Amino acid sequence: MPEPRSGHVLLGVNVLVYGYIPAAWRTPLFGARDFLAPEYWERIGRLAERARLDAVFLADALGLGDPAYDANPIRLDPFVVWGRVARATERVGLIATASTTFNDPVDLAARILTLDQVSNGRAGWNLVTTRDDRSAANFGLDRVVPRTQRYERGAEFAELARALWSAAGTGQRVTHHGTHFHYDDEFRAPASPQGLPVLFQAGGSPGGRDIASRYADGVFTAEITRETAREHYRTVKDGAVRAGRDPGAVAIMPGLLLTLGSTEEEARRRVDELYESSPSVYAAAWLSHAIGVDVSALDPDEPFPDEVLRGPADPELFTGSIGFRESILEQIRQTRPTVREYLRQTRYSGSGHGGFVGTPEQLADRIEQWYREYACDGFNLQPDVLLDSLEVIADEVIPLLRARGLYRDEYESSTLRGHFASARPDHAPAVTAARR
């Protein structure tokens, strides 16, 4: 049995425009162009804050997605969106995704500090290295930079950005001479209201885990099974120790795709209806992209061939997410479904990220089990359709977690870093930003 665990769960919501299911935009709750309205994003921020969630996450994309497998092919700049939401909220953290491959560390460090100032210490950065050729083409490249080089640059980028944040407002000189970046000057920017902005890393590749262990305050992971989640949890925490850090300072938060209903039958009916109103080829196209194999060429009534389960012979030729690919292949290895069976079961158990379909009570059970067994420190929730699901999270799921002693009654800090500190049982007093 795992040792008893104190503290409380960390919870965020990953805002995938309208929701993670492709047909989410067809809901009568809003129109197809509502995501262009500031009021839509403000409503999401207020709902997340009503639930007392730690943070809202917003992904970025440097090129248009492929609607054949991307449920949200058009993205807005997260810094602009969260700047607007900062005005409509007071406590919820605002985490924006930004690439280390197609940004400059000095410019990005300043932009994140700007969001930190206008939000009174609630800014976070979700570090990604960008893996797709579409984005690379928008920067004049034929192909995206190889994975190893991207992560080497990403690690140096994170090191320099944190050094710049630490020096902001002090007048101290920052001297950095590395492989990818050179800087020798003051960093003329106001200091962060929360000490340093919160740094997240997204991804499960070895290079990503190294960045997480050395620099990150949190990791946005892709986990389907509890066993592999616990292994990832230990790997990152052990890496933090080797880097001379407190392992408790790195929060592990898997994504969790979810559909909620008042009964399990109702939740399954809802997810079936949403998927059946999506393009019929979507699931196969997404899986092909995720694992690097043309799934449409496989016999749908046979198990996945062993050569598919072994993954690509040359990982450098695979441009997708290693974390997604490995979590999917491990799930297939454990359950041995046919291709057709797997494509259907992903509605209920997730694909890449873990999945959940059921009642608020069952969701509370899932969160508690993974947390108590050290498979995570919390979750990034990814609802099928955002607005009504966020209301259920706020009004039904969070009270259940509170009743189990797994979640706070009220915010204990007004900063994002403070939220993370207060979740730990041995936390120091939270840094609190001055009220405007």
Side-chain angles (χ1 to χ4, degrees):
M1 292 291 291
E3 60 186 84
R5 187 169 189 183
S6 55
H8 69 72
V9 172
L10 288 161
L11 289 177
V13 61
N14 187 28
V15 184
L16 294 172
V17 186
Y18 289 147
Y20 83 84
I21 288 182
W25 66 272
R26 302 180 69 173
T27 175
L29 293 174
F30 39 67
R33 296 177 61 84
D34 281 6
F35 79 100
L36 297 173
E39 294 77 17
Y40 172 75
W41 299 99
E42 290 171 356
R43 185 176 176 190
I44 288 173
R46 291 191 184 102
L47 282 171
E49 195 158 87
R50 192 174 93 196
R52 304 297 187 263
L53 297 184
D54 294 287
V56 287
F57 285 70
L58 184 56
D60 194 14
L62 301 175
L64 293 176
D66 186 340
Y69 58 78
D70 190 344
N72 299 277
I74 300 174
R75 307 287 172 86
L76 301 181
D77 187 316
F79 290 96
V80 176
V81 171
W82 287 157
R84 178 65 181 245
V85 173
R87 298 176 55 197
T89 56
E90 293 184 348
R91 298 295 185 92
V92 69
L94 306 167
I95 300 179
T97 297
S99 172
T100 56
T101 302
F102 298 112
N103 276 291
D104 173 83
V106 181
D107 173 67
L108 183 60
R111 287 161 55 201
I112 295 167
L113 277 180
T114 301
L115 178 60
D116 211 27
Q117 289 294 324
V118 301
S119 65
N120 274 357
R122 294 186 282 138
W125 167 32
N126 185 37
L127 182 158
V128 299
T129 66
T130 306
R131 60 180 184 264
D132 65 290
D133 292 336
R134 288 172 180 242
S135 295
N138 285 337
F139 289 84
L141 301 177
D142 294 329
R143 297 290 305 274
V144 73
V145 177
R147 191 183 308 274
T148 300
Q149 294 179 33
R150 295 203 314 270
Y151 278 105
E152 288 174 353
R153 176 186 167 98
E156 188 178 334
F157 195 119
E159 180 181 357
L160 178 53
R162 285 178 59 88
L164 294 170
W165 290 340
S166 297
T170 68
Q172 297 176 352
R173 194 177 193 90
V174 175
T175 300
H176 176 96
H177 297 292
T179 303
H180 300 275
F181 309 110
H182 296 273
Y183 190 86
D184 189 3
D185 202 349
E186 293 181 26
F187 183 56
R188 297 176 178 85
S192 165
Q194 56 181 330
L196 293 178
V198 168
L199 172 57
F200 256 74
Q201 181 271 332
S205 68
R209 292 181 183 186
D210 177 66
I211 292 174
S213 296
R214 291 162 60 189
Y215 304 111
D217 302 295
V219 189
F220 187 2
T221 68
E223 307 290 353
I224 297 178
T225 69
R226 193 165 66 254
E227 294 77 16
T228 55
R230 293 184 68 185
E231 179 183 352
H232 186 183
Y233 188 95
R234 290 191 297 269
T235 297
V236 175
K237 301 283 186 173
D238 290 348
V241 172
R242 289 193 297 272
R245 302 180 65 201
D246 177 354
V250 188
I252 310 300
M253 297 177 66
L256 184 60
L257 312 175
L258 60 90
T259 295
L260 296 169
S262 58
T263 66
E264 186 173 347
E265 180 184 3
E266 179 185 298
R268 285 180 173 266
R269 186 166 60 249
R270 171 180 167 117
V271 79
D272 283 342
E273 290 173 353
L274 284 167
Y275 269 103
E276 285 162 10
S277 61
S278 302
S280 59
V281 298
Y282 177 87
W286 190 93
L287 185 60
S288 298
H289 171 73
I291 65 175
V293 173
D294 182 4
V295 173
S296 67
L298 303 178
D299 186 333
D301 295 312
E302 291 292 331
F304 287 81
D306 289 341
E307 59 268 24
V308 171
L309 299 183
R310 286 194 292 269
D314 186 351
E316 285 293 341
L317 297 179
F318 174 71
T319 60
S321 164
I322 287 181
F324 274 7
R325 187 191 70 195
E326 291 307 312
S327 65
I328 291 168
L329 294 182
E330 181 59 27
Q331 185 186 41
I332 295 172
R333 292 184 195 108
Q334 290 188 18
T335 58
R336 301 300 295 187
T338 67
V339 173
R340 191 189 308 278
E341 287 170 343
Y342 184 76
L343 290 174
R344 181 165 182 81
Q345 82 180 47
T346 58
R347 298 183 182 188
Y348 312 111
S349 60
S351 183
H353 287 298
F356 172 84
V357 178
T359 67
E361 182 80 32
Q362 290 170 328
L363 177 57
D365 291 343
R366 167 73 171 265
I367 291 171
E368 179 171 17
Q369 183 181 39
W370 280 51
Y371 180 75
R372 298 289 191 203
E373 295 187 8
Y374 293 89
C376 68
D377 296 305
F379 285 96
N380 273 319
L381 305 176
Q382 302 185 109
D384 53 5
V385 180
L386 270 167
L387 294 180
D388 59 343
S389 296
L390 264 179
E391 291 179 341
V392 175
I393 290 167
D395 297 336
E396 300 185 43
V397 178
I398 296 300
L400 290 169
L401 294 174
R402 287 185 183 127
R404 302 179 188 205
L406 289 169
Y407 210 68
R408 55 170 175 254
D409 292 327
E410 296 292 341
Y411 285 114
E412 299 175 28
S413 167
S414 61
T415 70
L416 178 55
R417 184 167 294 279
H419 299 344
F420 276 68
S422 65
R424 298 171 58 189
D426 57 346
H427 72 273
V431 176
T432 302
R435 291 283 181 180
R436 280 184 272 183

